[in-house]
Amino acid sequence: MTADPIRWGVLGASDFARRLMGPAIHAARGHVLAAVASRTPAKADGFAAFAPGLRVHDDYDALLADEGIDAVYIPLPHTLHVEWAIRALEAGKPVLVEKPVAMHADDIDPLIAARDRTGLTCVEAYMIVHHPQWHRLRTLLDDGAIGRLRHVDGVFTYDNSADPGNIRNRADTGGGALPDIGVYSIGSTRWATGREPMEITHADIDWEDGCDVLTRVSARFDGFTAHWVNSMRLLPEQFVLFHGETGLIRLTAPFNAGKFGEARLELRDRSGITRIETWPDVNQYVLQVEAFGAALRGEAPFPWTLEDARGTQTAIDMAYAAAGGRPA
């Protein structure tokens, strides 16, 4: 890649892309949002407010054929991610695809094959691994700051019960708490520790219209256990606690840092003293875009691969199986 700005196209004018990822692309150093494709072009109007001169395509294939696009971001409904990511790669466009990449771990394999076949960058938009609070936490764990890790607790909840038409509340578009936010509680545990769940020891899931709306999942890793609560029907809350034999670390806004609350890491040891570190002005979405650009230019590897995404989806598949499977 040259030093010219990387010109992005967004495949699907989702609300999330308009509010967060579109502005992040346009704010990132060395990047520009150049085009949006939407089958309802009026939905693209909100993007022009921060990206003047934006091109609007009324067809996804037209954006993939646009020679003025260097990379594609895909925020389509979950069930469309693999199909359109493969089509983007085959059109010669590197891809940043929203989480979850797919609804089953095996469904990610054709995308991995397409990435390898084309030699192009294709990664999941798992923004938290770009935030410095998570890098700091992983360093502390590796350095033994809390001694031997014995247990992880993760909670991520919100309430969208008033929006039944939301794709997260529809089974046909890949809805559910585990696909939407379980990827964070489970995936962050995997990434921070570098370990995989050996067994799902408990899975209790509440279902509505084929979507999991409240999940309580416990797992056994090599050396520690974990328990995760994810819900689309509870008061908003999020935290992650890593509990060791000589100390503990808590992240108080681990997933929506800056929106849910200030990014804050609390480290407490046997002395009873709690040491606090904060990151008040970090935009993890901007950092994610800049990391993607660094990967395209060969400057640094992207810290979250399709294989990482597949590992999290494998754990989610295990949780569903432990709960007796998804509704027919």
Side-chain angles (χ1 to χ4, degrees):
M1 301 290 295
T2 68
D4 295 332
I6 295 171
R7 301 165 297 179
W8 285 82
V10 176
L11 210 61
S14 73
D15 180 65
F16 178 80
R18 179 184 56 80
R19 291 185 297 104
L20 292 172
M21 275 302 296
I25 289 170
H26 214 60
R29 293 170 295 178
H31 299 261
V32 62
L33 180 59
V36 172
S38 175
R39 291 167 177 170
T40 307
K43 289 184 177 180
D45 292 347
F47 291 80
F50 58 84
L54 182 83
R55 296 189 300 283
V56 178
H57 297 286
D58 61 5
D59 179 83
Y60 297 161
D61 286 310
L63 185 143
L64 297 185
D66 189 335
E67 295 183 356
I69 296 300
D70 304 310
V72 173
Y73 167 63
I74 301 178
L76 294 169
H78 303 160
T79 51
L80 299 177
H81 288 173
V82 169
E83 173 190 353
W84 283 100
I86 290 175
R87 292 174 74 161
L89 291 172
E90 291 175 342
K93 310 293 189 187
V95 177
L96 178 65
V97 60
E98 259 307 324
K99 57 79 193 166
V101 172
M103 303 310 298
H104 303 278
D106 291 348
D107 294 341
I108 301 175
D109 294 340
L111 183 55
I112 292 174
R115 177 203 64 190
D116 294 345
R117 182 174 65 253
T118 61
L120 296 172
T121 298
C122 181
V123 292
E124 185 182 50
Y126 194 63
M127 75 290 185
I128 66 170
V129 300
H130 306 281
H131 198 290
Q133 68 173 339
W134 280 100
H135 289 267
R136 177 61 173 154
L137 181 143
R138 190 155 74 163
T139 296
L140 289 169
L141 292 179
D142 290 344
D143 289 348
I146 62 172
R148 182 186 175 197
L149 176 66
R150 299 306 306 273
H151 185 71
V152 177
D153 269 313
V155 171
F156 192 1
T157 63
Y158 64 91
D159 184 1
N160 70 352
S161 57
D163 187 11
N166 190 293
I167 62 171
R168 295 161 185 82
N169 285 319
R170 293 171 48 194
D172 63 319
T173 52
L178 284 175
D180 187 44
I181 53 179
V183 293
Y184 293 119
S185 55
I186 296 172
S188 64
T189 302
R190 296 178 51 252
W191 190 79
T193 64
R195 302 180 198 175
E196 302 292 341
M198 302 165 58
E199 178 188 7
I200 300 298
T201 57
H202 175 77
D204 183 11
I205 298 179
D206 292 359
W207 300 91
E208 290 181 16
D209 299 321
C211 292
D212 52 298
V213 298
L214 171 57
T215 70
R216 314 108 170 140
V217 178
S218 298
R220 183 169 297 280
F221 289 71
D222 181 13
F224 67 94
T225 55
H227 183 68
W228 307 294
V229 175
N230 295 108
S231 181
M232 307 189 299
R233 296 294 184 270
L234 295 180
L235 185 76
E237 174 63 294
Q238 56 183 264
F239 68 83
V240 178
L241 176 67
F242 290 79
H243 206 149
E245 293 181 339
T246 62
L248 59 84
I249 300 172
R250 182 191 297 269
L251 298 183
T252 60
F255 309 122
N256 295 135
K259 179 181 178 183
F260 180 78
E262 182 181 62
R264 175 185 174 103
L265 182 151
E266 300 173 353
L267 169 63
R268 177 158 56 90
D269 59 25
R270 285 178 170 168
S271 71
I273 296 173
T274 298
R275 297 171 177 84
I276 297 172
E277 299 179 42
T278 62
W279 295 264
D281 299 311
V282 173
N283 187 319
Q284 58 193 351
Y285 298 101
V286 170
L287 294 179
Q288 176 175 250
V289 175
E290 292 177 349
F292 189 91
L296 286 191
R297 295 182 172 116
E299 298 167 355
F302 199 79
W304 185 261
T305 66
L306 290 179
E307 286 81 1
D308 290 319
R310 193 187 192 286
T312 296
Q313 189 58 51
T314 296
I316 291 174
D317 292 348
M318 292 166 60
Y320 283 136
R326 306 187 202 201

